[in-house]
DNA sequence: TCCTCTCTTTGATCTGTGTCAAGGTTAACT
DNA sequence: AGTTAACCTTGACACAGATCAAAGAGAGGA
């Protein structure tokens, strides 16, 4: 279960809120206020952070780990509508119920802010609203890019697109030095991948095998992926451009 | 709503910017500034407003008509990623190139604002940024709802979902009094519908015929749709909830 | 070490939707 | 009224991906 953790400045220097999400240009007094209304929650892989429709008295930013936003139909069909990586923002100022189910797909740490005070800060601190607008626009672009994947790409292209996105974001966050031979850990099960790209898990597995057989990727122990040639992968993904806004 | 006296009231009173999009709470001086930087553009059905990658020196709001945001792959596969109805906003503050191709699907009138001055207004007028954030979040929700449609619904459910969305938005905009028997004009060709829901135009046509045959809808002259029972349509769409945030 | 549970792979078969092709309908223009 | 071009419908068939089924692989616990 989640447990609130006492604010801790050491920890906070790792908190992407400080760096990217909200307070890149905050004044010391504003930062102090953010410190006061923030707390941490931790979840383990597979745990559900919140269910669609739940009351939500906070907004949050992912500090570490990966979470999935999903929507489910009555009969159980599930579609992932967003993948939350470190620095991504969860929750909507001005709305008190969750629109989507949020699930931790790996161990997850979130930095939460009480919603009331946070909304008041937005009103009085223009650059926070500005930053939120930018982040939301980025998410909208990502969602629209994904609509093309869901609507028009083949199974193989979908897999390649998903791998490319994760590889790229991973590279942006961590090992920026990919001297031809990018390695990363897949933070998703085959089923979660299937839910992301609108396929069945069997098809995902088959296409992964096919990409492996044809040396587009290497797979170690089903979760560690090596991409010998990123351009090749992007070609398989059907991306005309380099596909890449990295923020 | 603001009652401020401003230049060109007649013209402006038709402009949804005034009412919904940007300046619902603007001061008279701000409204006067908006008046100065705004102008109108008109397009006829089928015309392309801008191509993905074009330089864009304005942002805009749809006043009348319908426009489509589309993305296209090298080989011609096309996906619509947004449908712009009156009061919807186009363009991204802080970005000078268009991310998507915008096409008028009916006669279209847009109210445009020069980008530079508009961005300066955002910085100095907090509630405009606030309003933009809200609109962007609504669009994000719509995009994510659409991801479920694209990824997990059958052809029949996709068609029903599309009809439901258009019917609902049409009803919200115009004939609020739908005494069981909602009638509206489809602003899209079969091909545009197919591009929206990730099908071929033949499948769209077949499913429309099937829905007609089974009395879920009536079709007059291929474009005018009557929905005798909205609940039935929503059932066909697979929507568990009423599906409806109308803003 | 063996057990067990979860995740993954692979095979056989079925089906919804795409593809190809032909013909019908509508509306604008001469 | 006739011509033309765009749009729409319907049919026959093919195929990508779903479904059903079974077995392999890996990790944690006794």
């Amino acid at each position: 279960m989640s447990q609130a953790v006492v604010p801790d400045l050491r920890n906070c220097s790792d908190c992407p809120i400080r760096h990217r999400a909200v307070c890149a240009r905050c004044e010391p007094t504003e930062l102090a206020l953010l410190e006061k209304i923030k707390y941490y929650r931790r979840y383990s892989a597979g745990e559900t952070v919140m269910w669609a429709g739940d009351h939500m008295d906070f907004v949050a930013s992912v500090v570490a780990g990966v979470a999935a936003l999903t929507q489910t139909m009555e009969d159980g069909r599930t579609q992932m509508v967003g993948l939350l990586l470190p620095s991504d923002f969860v929750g909507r100022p001005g709305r008190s119920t969750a629109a989507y189910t949020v699930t931790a797909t790996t161990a997850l740490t979130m930095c939460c802010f009480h919603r009331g005070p946070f909304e008041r800060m937005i009103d009085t601190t223009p650059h926070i609203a500005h930053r939120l607008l930018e982040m939301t626009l980025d998410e909208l672009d990502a969602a629209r890019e994904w609509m093309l994947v869901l609507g028009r790409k083949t199974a193989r292209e979908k897999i390649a697109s998903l791998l490319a996105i994760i590889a790229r974001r991973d590279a942006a966050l961590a090992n920026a030095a990919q001297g031809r031979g990018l390695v990363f850990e897949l933070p998703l099960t085959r089923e979660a991948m299937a839910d992301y790209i609108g396929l069945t898990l069997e098809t995902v597995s088959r296409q992964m095998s096919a990409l492996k057989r044809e040396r587009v990727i290497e797979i170690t122990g089903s979760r560690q992926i090596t991409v010998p040639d990123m351009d090749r992968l992007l070609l398989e993904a059907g991306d005309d451009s380099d596909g890449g806004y990295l923020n």
Side-chain angles (χ1 to χ4, degrees), chain A residues 8-154:
Chain A
D8 164 8
L9 267 179
R10 259 196 101 299
N11 213 344
C12 193
S13 68
D14 295 324
C15 171
I17 283 282
R18 160 78 32 100
H19 302 299
R20 300 189 58 250
V22 172
C23 48
R25 290 179 302 177
C26 281
E27 302 296 323
T29 54
E30 293 161 3
L31 285 175
L33 182 51
L34 277 174
E35 286 300 319
K36 258 189 283 188
I37 64 172
K38 101 179 185 195
Y39 59 101
Y40 290 89
R41 283 167 187 255
R42 284 167 223 287
Y43 301 87
S44 44
E47 250 187 292
T48 296
V49 176
M50 66 188 72
W51 296 98
D54 277 2
H55 180 77
M56 219 174 73
D57 57 354
F58 61 93
V59 296
S61 171
V62 174
V63 176
V66 180
L69 294 183
T70 57
Q71 249 178 328
T72 304
M73 294 172 68
E74 284 169 319
D75 59 10
R77 280 178 282 176
T78 298
Q79 176 66 49
M80 197 184 298
V81 297
L83 194 60
L84 300 170
L85 298 184
S87 88
D88 280 339
F89 193 79
V90 197
R92 172 167 177 168
R95 175 177 295 177
S96 58
T97 52
Y100 311 103
T101 299
V102 182
T103 314
T105 65
T106 66
L108 178 72
T109 307
M110 299 202 310
C111 177
C112 306
F113 300 90
H114 295 291
R115 213 163 53 83
F118 189 83
E119 282 172 11
R120 261 168 265 131
M121 271 204 78
I122 289 178
D123 289 337
T124 55
T125 317
H127 52 257
I128 290 188
H130 202 277
R131 182 75 190 105
L132 274 179
L133 177 58
E134 248 171 58
M135 292 174 63
T136 306
L137 284 163
D138 283 339
E139 275 187 274
L140 184 57
D141 278 343
R144 285 175 164 165
E145 186 181 338
W146 207 249
M147 288 173 71
L148 176 64
V149 174
L150 286 172
R152 292 301 186 195
K153 291 196 177 178
T154 64

